[in-house]
Every structure is written in C-alpha cells, then in structure tokens.
Amino acid sequence: RAKADGRNGFAIFDAGMLVQATARQQIDAELRRAIAEDELVLYFQPQIAAQTRRMSGAEALLRWHHPGRGIIPPSEFIPIAEETGLIIPIGERVLRCACAAATGWPADTKVAVNLSPVQFRSGALFDTIVRALSESGLPPHRLEVEITESVLLESAASNLDLIKRLRELGISVALDDFGTGYASLSYLMKFPFDTLKIDKYFTMNLMKRKDCEAIVASVIALAGGIGITTVAEGVETEEHFAFLKSAGIDYCQGYLFGRPMPPSELRFDPAARASAKRAAA
Ligand code: C2E
Ligand code: MG
Ligand code: MG
Ligand code: MG
C-alpha cells in the first residue's frame, strides 16, 4: 500500500508495493467482469432476539462466486472496490437486492445492509436508498443500514444530516464494529443511532478475558440507558450467548445461530431452523 506523506503528498513505492498495485489492477478488472457476469451474490446471516431466539432479521453480506477461485470473502475485494469507486455500483446493487429479498420475509423482520464511507462521499446515497425501497416496496422501517465510525470521523456534519434524513424516513441506523476503533462515547450522543453492534472481537474473548466481560456488560448497560438497541456479533457458543443474555443484550448474530447463507436457506420459523440444523449436523 502506498504511504502518502501527509506534508508533501508524495506517494513512495517500493517493489513490493508495485506488485501489490498490479495485483489491485488485476482484481479491479476482474471485479468489473464479475459485476457484468453477476458473480457478486448476497448471503444473509440471521439475527435473533435474545429473549426468544426468534429470527428478527438478517444482515446482507457480499460474496464473490469466482469461476476459478471459488467463493472470495468481502475482505479481499471490498477495500479495492472502495479505492477504485466500484463500491458505488456494487453498493447500489446490494441495496436493491437486499430490499427485494426482504420483501419475501415475515413482516416483522428487518434486513441490515452495510454501507461504505465511499458511498457517503458520493452524494447519491440518499436517493439510492430511497429508490431501492420504492422499487422493492419494502417499508423503510424494515431496513437497517450499518455504518462504521470512519463515516463519523470524516465530513461529520453532512453525514450527520444524511443519517438524520434516513431516520426521518423510518430507516434504522446501526453503528457497526463498535469498540474496535476511535469512536468515543460522545459519538453516541452526537449521532442518533438506533443500534450498536458490539464487534465480534469482544464477543469472542468472553469467557477468556474478565476485562472483556466487564467491557461488554458495561456497553450493553450504557446503550440501554440511552435507549440504543444492542446486537452482539460473532456469537459462536452457548456460553457466549448465556453471558450476553444475562447482561441484557437485545439481539445476537453468529455461527451459533447461523452462518451467512444464500437467501433460499434462511429459516424464519424456529422449528424449521432447528430441523435444518439437525439435518446439517
Ligand atoms: P461486518 O459487517 O462486521 O460483518 C460481520 C462479519 O462477521 C461477517 O464477515 C460475518 O460472516 C462474520 N461473522 C458473523 N458471525 C460470526 C461468528 O460467529 N464467528 C466469526 N468468526 N465470524 C462471524 P464477512 O461476511 O466476511 O464480511 C466482512 C466484512 O465485509 C463485513 O463486516 C463488512 O464490513 C464488509 N461487507 C460485507 N458485505 C458488504 C457490503 O455489501 N457492503 C459493504 N460496504 N461492506 C460489506
Ligand atoms: Mg455489518
Ligand atoms: Mg460488524
Ligand atoms: Mg466486524
């Protein structure tokens, strides 16, 4: 990765970076082809209500079904799509597909869609979201958008305005990966979030580290105290789940309840989910 020097703006490359730059160009070209060939597909991961274990909705997560390389995870192509701007058409497709898929789900469920900071910079995001809703017919209260704190760090004022306009339509806004970056508690007062997603790093260290348990319990209590819904990511074991539930978590997401899966495999009925899990075991 080129290191831009903050003072004079020069980017200094070495040979390794050149190799990386070439690889990035190749991936960019491949990505353009993938979009045209419809190789980018949405998987959905169940979110469940902690009290009832009922499915409350699902998060849309991109996968690249590459003809030669199999399934490529988003961590390998989204950063490049963000650099080249391809995330704009990709993100628009994600919104349209996610909203369309959710229209076939029970009326009390939501779909969560990840938004890139690059989409916020484009100026077209609000209209793109409104169009995805109107074309699919999905009611706005069934859409949740997930943003990361990098959106809050840059052009905070205009992004705050956009977040407010989305919420006025009834769309909920979640702060993703909470606890891993720089966001301070004051962001929770400055930005009107509906939901806070506790990063899987914390969930996965429960039962391993006492400090993690204290942090997670405090964050859940703090969010509850200011009326923000909590979701824990990365819930893999019943022990994690029991801890989170007793700490007052609202919703959980993780391999314990289901991996990201093609939409046809989603089971909203708890009995159907249990039998699907038995069949898979
Ligand atoms: P994220 O939004 O924080 O999504 C949660 C990630 O945690 C997903 O990884 C999911 O598969 C993984 N995960 C869920 N439960 C568990 C668990 O119990 N254990 C473990 N080890 N992992 C779990 P995934 O699908 O690889 O996505 C990675 C990231 O890529 C996402 O993190 C999100 O930031 C980004 N991403 C995915 N789809 C999109 C998209 O459509 N648009 C944008 N802008 N970003 C996306
Ligand atoms: Mg997310
Ligand atoms: Mg997350
Ligand atoms: Mg994460």
Side-chain angles (χ1 to χ4, degrees):
R1 179 167 301 239
K3 284 206 178 69
D5 186 304
R7 280 158 305 160
N8 57 24
F10 280 125
I12 302 158
F13 288 92
D14 64 24
M17 287 168 171
L18 189 64
V19 171
Q20 277 182 29
T22 313
R24 263 206 309 278
Q25 270 176 14
Q26 268 167 18
I27 294 172
D28 179 57
E30 279 272 287
L31 255 180
R32 286 172 197 277
R33 186 193 49 74
I35 294 169
E37 309 273 326
D38 246 344
E39 289 169 14
L40 299 183
V41 296
L42 276 186
Y43 276 30
F44 293 89
Q45 185 178 32
Q47 298 182 326
I48 64 105
Q51 287 308 316
T52 59
R53 287 178 92 123
R54 286 188 77 90
M55 206 172 142
S56 56
E59 177 177 5
L61 294 161
L62 260 178
R63 298 289 181 266
W64 181 355
H65 280 230
H66 192 281
R69 292 200 284 149
I71 296 180
I72 303 177
S75 56
E76 285 183 33
F77 64 89
I78 285 186
I80 293 162
E82 288 179 325
E83 277 179 42
T84 60
L86 269 186
I87 192 69
I88 304 284
I90 291 174
E92 184 171 347
R93 267 258 278 269
V94 166
L95 278 159
R96 283 213 313 270
C97 293
C99 289
T103 55
W105 304 351
D108 60 350
T109 58
K110 279 187 183 182
V111 64
V113 176
N114 292 286
L115 298 179
S116 159
V118 177
Q119 290 173 278
F120 273 81
R121 270 178 243 147
S122 79
L125 182 57
F126 184 81
D127 291 342
T128 301
I129 293 173
V130 169
R131 213 169 332 113
L133 287 171
S134 65
E135 280 173 10
S136 62
L138 189 74
H141 71 268
R142 296 191 53 205
L143 174 64
E144 180 155 84
V145 293
E146 298 192 1
I147 65 174
T148 51
E149 62 188 36
S150 51
V151 166
L152 315 178
L153 296 171
E154 58 183 62
S155 18
S158 62
N159 289 344
L160 173 60
D161 178 63
L162 181 58
I163 290 169
K164 283 183 177 157
R165 284 160 68 209
L166 293 174
R167 291 190 77 237
E168 278 163 17
L169 287 182
I171 296 166
S172 26
V173 179
L175 181 56
D176 204 353
D177 302 340
F178 185 72
T180 52
Y182 298 103
S184 70
L185 293 178
S186 69
Y187 281 96
L188 296 181
M189 298 171 72
K190 219 177 312 176
F191 291 89
F193 296 109
D194 300 277
T195 306
L196 202 152
K197 295 191 77 174
I198 300 171
D199 193 79
K200 59 176 174 288
Y201 170 82
F202 294 99
T203 309
M204 293 165 80
N205 277 300
L206 294 174
M207 297 27 254
K208 287 193 203 136
R209 297 181 50 156
K210 275 274 170 267
D211 52 355
C212 238
E213 296 180 12
I215 289 169
V216 168
S218 309
V219 167
I220 294 170
L222 175 116
I226 53 177
I228 296 180
T229 299
T230 46
V231 180
E233 304 182 327
V235 183
E236 292 189 353
T237 67
E238 288 292 347
E239 289 72 31
H240 291 158
F241 178 57
F243 178 89
L244 291 159
K245 195 177 164 187
S246 69
I249 197 87
D250 296 305
Y251 300 95
C252 288
Q253 182 179 344
Y255 295 169
L256 177 63
F257 305 104
R259 292 183 177 250
M261 58 185 93
S264 61
E265 289 174 22
L266 287 172
R267 296 289 175 269
F268 292 89
D269 174 36
R273 215 176 57 233
S275 68
K277 207 173 169 180
R278 274 197 303 279

